[in-house]
Structure formats: structure tokens, C-alpha cells
Amino acid sequence: APDRPELLQTGPMMAMVEAQLKQHFTVHRLDAPDAEQVLAEAGPRIRAVATGVGSTGGGVRRVTAALMDKLPALEIVSNFGVGYDAVDAEEAGRRGVVVTNTPGVLDDEVADLTIALLLATIRRLPQADRHLRAGKWPSGGFPLSPTLRDRTVGIVGMGRIGKAIGRRLAGFGRPIAYHSRRPAEGVPYAHYPDLIALARDVDALIVIVPGGPETNNMINAEVLEALGPKGVLINVARGSVVDEPALIKALQDGTIASAGLDVFADEPNVPEALIGLDNVVLLPHVASATQVTRDAMGQLVVDNLLAWFAGEPPLTPVPETPVRATV
Ligand code: NDP
């Protein structure tokens, strides 16, 4: 129908998202072979962008100032995922373009996975599984592992997901402390304004801050040194938050004990040096990746767009972008 708004989809998304987008919008694809031609022809009419990895994985096409330059009628960017570091939200804000993400609906799922990864890393579960499958059990039991029992756990980032992780960790009866720029409301754990001091005082560090320039390489050689030889690093935030070469070196030379990683600097490429290490647990960015939670995220991507084009405020705009009362 000619009255349907035109929308640009930056890459593959979940089938349930794509079906609804097609139902309500005229959809153009940035991952089509003739994308540049499509942009040149339809760019001036495009009012919405749908973006994010969805369940498909792989590299994300960034929504940059250069892309927005080609979309002068753009009103809204709906991002699949609570992390929207692939969208230049500040630039969107300057242009009066609303950006939405998918907060809240994935907190419990991501927190569950984080606890699983923490325990898998400390208790060496994938290594034990490999030991059994390799037929090594009859000739020798799996070596005794480190434990969560003697640890203080530090959480870097005490937002929606950090709090959900803290609630779960409290059940394990271990002391918890955290770092964020400002103390978080309503949490009972010790706040460390200084990340190095936190790393020094804990034996496991869980990273769950947003990506982007402000947190780039925040977990650097100095933090890893402070975490120390018994230390375990869990990263479920973004690969950009950890200085990956420094981490590899720290894991190789025993500066820290081990790491559990769901995210990497250059996804889906994972350094061979990490794959070759036995003291790491590596996951392909699956923290929110269950059908139930991905469906909820996908629906929120669609519902933000539908609200906007119905003349209502978007459901979950990010803090950087203005929300105009009327379209
Ligand atoms: P929130 O915005 O609710 O919380 C972010 C937290 O990080 C706040 O406590 C904030 O506190 C802190 N923070 C932000 N910037 C800094 C900084 N420069 N230094 C120290 N602390 C900082 O986000 P969510 O909890 O909803 O999500 C967090 C991130 O987790 C997402 O942005 C996403 O990138 C990642 N994520 C990864 C997933 C995966 O699949 N692996 C799944 C879901 C999320 P303050 O502002 O006071 O510093």
C-alpha cells in the first residue's frame, strides 16, 4: 500500500520481526546486493530503520552519521538489543531522530546465563565435559577445580542486568561489591567509585556495562593485574569493554586464573590465541539467546515502530534521544 511508511532493515532479523515489518512497512534491505542503489533511490523516503543482530549473529552494520546523511526523512531507529553501541545515538539525537532499544525483557535471561558462565568458568565444566568425551575418565578423574566458595564477587555495571545478577549471586552466600560511576539506588552491596580498587578486593569480576567509547578497553592490563592470579573475569557486556590482547596475555602468563567470555572485540571472529587456551570458556554471544526472550525482544522492536507511526511516544527510547510528543 502506498501509505505504508518506508523502512530500512540493516541486516537479517528474526522471522517474526521480518514478517511484521513487511506487514506494516515497505521494507528496503541494506544487506541486498544493490543496497547503494536502493539507498540512492529510496533513501529520501525512508522514515524508519530496524537494526540489530537478531538471532542470526555475525557483524552488525552500524547506524552512523554517514548512513543517516542518506536518510534525510529518518524519524526513528529501532534497535534489537538493550545495547545500542552500533547506533550513533548522540548523532541521532542531534538530528531529532529517536532511537529505541529493548531493555528489561532480557534482564533475567542474561543474568541466568551470567551465573551459568561464572560457575562453568570457575568449576571448569566445559573442560570436564571434554575430559569425559575424550575417554579420559577411566584412567583418571578430572582434576579438582577452583571454587566460588572462597570468593568475593565484583560486578562492573549495576544497572538493570547488574542488579538481576546481584539478586541471583546473593543466593550463593558470597560477598558482593560493584563499580559504576554513581552509586546505584536500592542495592545493599559496597560501591567502589574506583575500578582498580574493586578489582584488587575481589576474586571474580563480572562485566555488564554498556559498550561504546566511554567504556572502551575499561578492563585493561592494570585492572587484570589488580584482579590477580586467583582472579576470574566474566564478560557478558561487549567485547570493546575489555582490552582483548591484554586479556590474552594475562591468561597466558597467569596474571589472572581464567575467563568466561560471551562477547568479543571483532565478532564473529574470535582470536586463535583464545581458542587455544584451556583456562577460558567461550560463548558465541548467547546471553539473551532463548526463543522466549528473543521473541520478547523482537516484539519490542516492532512495537516501538508501531507506536511511533500511530502517533504515540515510543515505548523504550534511549536516554540520548528526544521524544517528540507529536509526529
Ligand atoms: P543499564 O543502562 O541499566 O546499566 C548500565 C550500568 O553500567 C549502570 O550501572 C551504569 O552506571 C554503568 N556504567 C555505564 N557507563 C559506565 C562507565 N563509563 N563506567 C562505569 N560504569 C558505567 O544497562 P543494562 O543493565 O540493561 O545493560 C548493560 C549492557 O549489557 C548493555 O548495554 C549491553 O551492551 C550488555 N548486554 C549484553 C548482552 C549479551 O548478549 N552478552 C545481553 C544484554 C545486554 P553509571 O551510569 O552510574 O556509571
Side-chain angles (χ1 to χ4, degrees):
D3 57 333
R4 289 193 307 180
E6 300 199 27
L7 174 145
L8 181 67
Q9 189 183 322
T10 63
M13 299 186 86
M14 294 172 70
M16 62 91 83
V17 174
E18 292 192 352
Q20 293 185 72
L21 293 180
K22 277 196 194 124
Q23 192 184 332
H24 298 284
F25 299 90
T26 298
V27 177
H28 303 280
R29 296 286 296 248
L30 200 54
D31 57 344
D34 61 341
E36 285 312 314
Q37 231 173 302
V38 167
L39 272 182
E41 195 276 317
R45 298 191 309 271
I46 286 171
R47 298 169 65 193
V49 166
T51 191
V53 280
S55 56
T56 55
V60 185
R61 175 75 190 254
R62 288 182 50 83
V63 180
T64 58
L67 179 58
M68 289 186 256
D69 279 344
K70 296 175 182 164
L71 310 173
L74 186 62
E75 298 168 29
I76 183 167
V77 177
S78 185
N79 180 72
F80 184 100
V82 66
Y84 51 95
D85 44 310
V87 178
D88 190 340
E90 275 176 25
E91 179 59 30
R94 278 191 286 274
R95 295 170 186 235
V97 172
V98 171
V99 177
T100 63
N101 62 344
T102 62
V105 295
L106 44 57
D107 297 351
D108 287 331
E109 199 75 82
V110 173
D112 288 354
L113 186 283
T114 304
I115 300 297
L117 183 55
L118 174 71
L119 285 170
T121 304
I122 294 177
R123 296 295 303 275
R124 299 173 51 81
L125 299 187
Q127 295 90 332
D129 177 283
R130 291 198 289 270
H131 180 89
L132 182 154
R133 287 171 196 266
K136 293 179 180 168
W137 192 4
S139 55
F142 188 67
L144 299 181
S145 86
T147 180
L148 179 65
R149 293 295 96 218
D150 60 359
R151 276 167 211 273
T152 297
V153 181
I155 305 177
V156 181
M158 191 48 70
R160 290 169 293 247
I161 302 172
K163 287 180 184 136
I165 293 169
R167 286 195 296 272
R168 283 159 176 73
L169 270 177
F172 288 86
R174 302 307 314 158
I176 301 168
Y178 73 100
H179 166 71
S180 56
R181 291 167 300 184
R182 292 167 295 272
E185 297 258 331
V187 299
Y189 329 119
H191 175 245
Y192 282 68
D194 180 10
L195 174 58
I196 302 282
L198 176 69
R200 208 177 288 128
D201 283 2
V202 303
D203 318 288
L205 202 57
I206 297 173
V207 186
I208 187 68
V209 289
E214 293 199 14
T215 57
N216 192 50
N217 287 347
M218 178 180 183
I219 307 297
N220 56 21
E222 201 185 351
V223 173
L224 297 169
E225 183 80 42
L227 185 55
K230 183 183 162 191
V232 174
L233 179 76
I234 303 298
N235 187 12
V236 284
R238 283 289 181 266
S240 61
V241 180
V242 173
D243 180 342
E244 208 166 70
L247 173 63
I248 291 168
K249 188 165 179 302
L251 288 162
Q252 285 169 339
D253 66 16
T255 299
I256 67 168
S258 60
L261 308 173
D262 186 47
V263 287
F264 302 88
D266 179 30
E267 296 172 11
N269 306 303
V270 177
E272 279 302 323
L274 276 178
I275 289 172
L277 284 171
D278 187 51
N279 54 342
V280 291
V281 179
L282 307 174
L283 300 179
H285 202 145
V286 294
S288 70
T290 66
Q291 192 70 54
V292 164
T293 294
R294 286 287 171 88
D295 281 352
M297 293 163 66
Q299 196 56 53
L300 193 46
V301 167
V302 173
D303 289 347
N304 268 298
L305 291 166
L306 295 185
W308 180 257
F309 286 103
E312 294 157 17
L315 305 174
T316 48
V318 305
E320 290 91 335
T321 62
V323 179
R324 288 170 292 173
T326 52
V327 184

